[in-house]
Amino acid sequence: MRGDRGSLRLSGALGLTLAAALVWGLAHLLAGRRAAGAALLAAQVLLVVGLTAAATALRPEVLALVARPGRLAGLAVAAVLLGLAWATVIVSSYRLVRPPGLGGPGRSLGRAAVGVMCAAALLPTLYAARLAYVGRDVVTTVFATRGAASADPWQGRYRVNVLLLGADAAARRPGARTDSMSVAAIDTRTGRTVLFSLPRNLQHVPMPAGPARRMFPGGFAGDGTLNHPGLLNEVYQWAEDHPEAAPGVPAGRRGPELLKRTIGGILGLPIDYYAMVDMKGFARIIDATGGVRVTVKNDIPYGLAGGVLRAGTRRLSGAEALWFGRSRSDGDDYVRMGRQRCLLDAVARQADPFTVIRSFGRLADAAKRYISTDIPQESLPAFITLSRKIKDAPLESVQFVPPLIDTAAPDWALIREKVSEAAGVPLPASTRTRRGVPGDPAASGSRASATPSAISPQTEQTSPNASCN
């Protein structure tokens, strides 16, 4: 009978300890330790209220704050300390309510049960600490530091222009080609975004002022060979292979810098930043999030073994999505551009927070290996705040493809006119006075970024549920 009463007392003590693990201070209050119990309960209430506010109403502000390596390191330490504090509460609660005079088996059972409770409390906090550490590693690896953060990251401008690149490398071709090139012109006040897409096969591309223009006064000609005829998608690798085209710029930065200035000159917009993803990394990102759901209008041959991506709404794996975006079997480059744009939009809109957290490790690894950008760490909080506006604002798209633009003999002035209409920016002086070669955007485009946007009927609205094909 004594053993039965001892077991009952032990089970009751363990039950009360579990309750105290969920409601801090409960065991202390029942044991007469009112001051300690009230303090623990108040601390838990404040903690829950703070975390709830951070996850809901204050979420954008909190995300902006933790997008700094120092804050992420602090968050990792805080998560570990929280887990240790929680485990301490569990142990101290059990010591207050455990039955006196427990024998060897009962003592061992009680300690084992309390150990399981402590582990259950520590695991989520340690996981949170790991997420913070991995996030810090991604920020410091992918994003460069440029000193102290500015109080006004946009420097008084109403628009920030980001060049988005998709790079592809073939086994039998050295280097990489930027087969996907778009500029996101974002209104920093409203989040309204216009996406300007340029085809990879634009020819005779005017080069920006400086060594590159002196080398190609009549437009980019590449190496002048059949395999390198001088298309827009070759500018990136050509700059990397020819240091004289961008004096003083280190390897790995020459391609992005020259391409930013080249595309900025074509559009008449200054390009503030670039972000590039290797297509292999894009496939890994899709796999890490469990695939992407799109609507395929027509069957598309898949792979070299006779496979087919069937028409219909389906979830594509990374490899299938990559083939879906690359395939030219059912159309030309311009059909493919449309599919790529729709695919990117679907990936962005379907990335829910739970999926991102669950797959964070794999996403972080893919980001470090396959994504490059010159967006500085100091601007990340501002971009995170801006991203919420972008999500709630319309996304509009303008594609400079035939019949609007002849890729073999592009009308550069017409391109700038369409950009001005869609983005609501004034035409550069060079375009107003003549329909000719665009100049270096460093001077002519700087005023455009400071001009408020105006919605234009020339653009194409992108629906979250748009079909892809």
Side-chain angles (χ1 to χ4, degrees):
M1 296 296 291
R2 289 181 181 178
D4 292 341
R5 287 197 297 270
S7 299
L8 289 174
R9 289 198 297 270
L10 177 61
S11 62
L14 291 176
L16 186 55
T17 302
L18 178 60
L22 301 176
V23 181
W24 292 5
L26 180 61
H28 291 71
L29 291 172
L30 293 177
R33 306 286 183 89
R34 294 183 178 179
L40 288 172
L41 184 58
Q44 186 184 31
V45 170
L46 290 175
L47 182 64
V48 171
V49 170
L51 292 176
T52 302
T56 54
L58 301 178
R59 181 181 171 189
E61 289 77 9
V62 172
L63 287 175
L65 286 175
V66 301
R68 297 190 176 103
R71 301 287 174 84
L72 288 169
L75 183 61
V77 172
V80 172
L81 293 177
L82 173 60
L84 293 174
W86 198 350
T88 301
V89 170
I90 294 172
V91 172
S92 63
S93 298
Y94 177 69
R95 285 180 174 177
L96 287 174
V97 300
R98 65 183 175 185
L102 277 177
R107 186 184 301 112
S108 299
L109 179 60
R111 290 175 176 174
V114 170
V116 171
M117 295 182 201
C118 290
L122 280 168
L123 284 176
T125 58
L126 292 178
Y127 182 69
R130 178 180 177 275
L131 291 181
Y133 176 79
V134 172
R136 179 184 180 276
D137 189 33
V138 171
V139 171
T140 55
T141 301
V142 177
F143 301 91
T145 180
R146 294 184 181 174
S150 171
D152 180 12
W154 314 127
Q155 300 177 356
R157 293 175 302 167
Y158 294 148
R159 184 176 299 283
V160 60
N161 303 311
V162 183
L163 174 60
L164 307 175
L165 303 172
D168 203 359
R172 293 173 292 179
R173 184 182 68 220
R177 291 182 178 176
T178 53
D179 283 347
S180 176
M181 293 166 285
S182 300
V183 172
I186 308 166
D187 190 310
T188 58
R189 303 161 304 165
T190 65
R192 174 182 176 264
T193 301
V194 183
L195 196 65
F196 299 105
S197 300
L198 293 167
R200 68 182 186 91
N201 58 338
L202 277 181
Q203 300 180 35
H204 313 296
V205 175
M207 304 303 284
R213 182 179 293 180
R214 290 193 294 269
M215 299 170 74
F216 299 106
F220 182 65
D223 294 336
T225 64
L226 182 62
N227 293 330
H228 301 87
L231 305 180
L232 179 59
N233 71 336
E234 298 172 16
V235 171
Y236 176 95
Q237 190 60 44
W238 182 87
E240 288 294 330
D241 295 338
H242 296 81
E244 65 275 15
V249 181
R253 293 289 303 276
R254 290 191 291 266
E257 287 300 321
L258 185 60
L259 191 57
K260 282 168 61 178
R261 294 184 63 202
T262 301
I263 291 180
I266 293 172
L267 300 179
L269 293 175
I271 306 300
D272 302 294
Y273 306 106
Y274 87 95
M276 183 172 72
V277 59
D278 184 280
M279 298 311 291
K280 292 180 181 177
F282 183 65
R284 293 198 177 191
I285 289 171
I286 290 176
D287 282 333
T289 56
V292 58
R293 191 172 184 82
V294 299
T295 298
V296 182
K297 289 184 178 179
N298 304 305
D299 291 352
I300 299 176
Y302 169 55
L304 302 177
V308 177
L309 291 178
R310 297 295 181 186
T313 300
R314 62 185 66 258
R315 184 170 294 276
L316 304 181
S317 67
E320 290 172 336
L322 192 57
W323 190 273
F324 174 78
R326 282 173 166 173
S327 177
R328 299 188 186 95
S329 58
D330 66 327
D332 52 23
D333 271 347
Y334 316 117
V335 172
R336 185 175 72 154
M337 284 176 61
R339 287 202 307 266
Q340 290 174 350
R341 184 196 63 207
C342 187
L343 190 60
L344 288 170
D345 183 64
V347 171
R349 293 183 182 275
Q350 294 175 26
D352 62 277
F354 175 78
T355 300
V356 171
I357 292 175
R358 175 175 52 83
S359 311
F360 193 72
R362 288 178 291 169
L363 287 171
D365 180 66
K368 289 189 296 181
R369 295 178 60 184
Y370 297 106
I371 293 178
S372 61
T373 182
D374 61 352
I375 296 175
Q377 296 176 14
E378 296 77 19
S379 297
L380 284 179
F383 268 102
I384 290 174
T385 302
L386 182 59
S387 67
R388 188 177 188 182
K389 298 179 182 179
I390 294 173
K391 185 176 181 180
D392 296 333
L395 173 64
E396 302 155 31
S397 178
V398 178
Q399 297 190 72
F400 295 110
V401 298
L404 177 64
I405 297 298
D406 180 358
T407 58
D411 187 337
W412 307 113
L414 177 61
I415 290 177
R416 283 189 163 198
E417 289 172 5
K418 293 299 182 183
V419 170
S420 176
E421 293 172 6
V425 298
L427 284 170
S430 59
T431 304
R432 290 197 300 266
T433 56
R434 65 189 180 94
R435 298 177 65 88
V437 174
D440 188 351
S444 62
S446 59
R447 294 188 304 273
S449 281
T451 304
S453 300
I455 296 178
S456 165
Q458 299 287 337
T459 56
E460 171 189 348
Q461 298 281 344
T462 301
S463 167
N465 299 314
S467 300
C468 293
N469 200 230

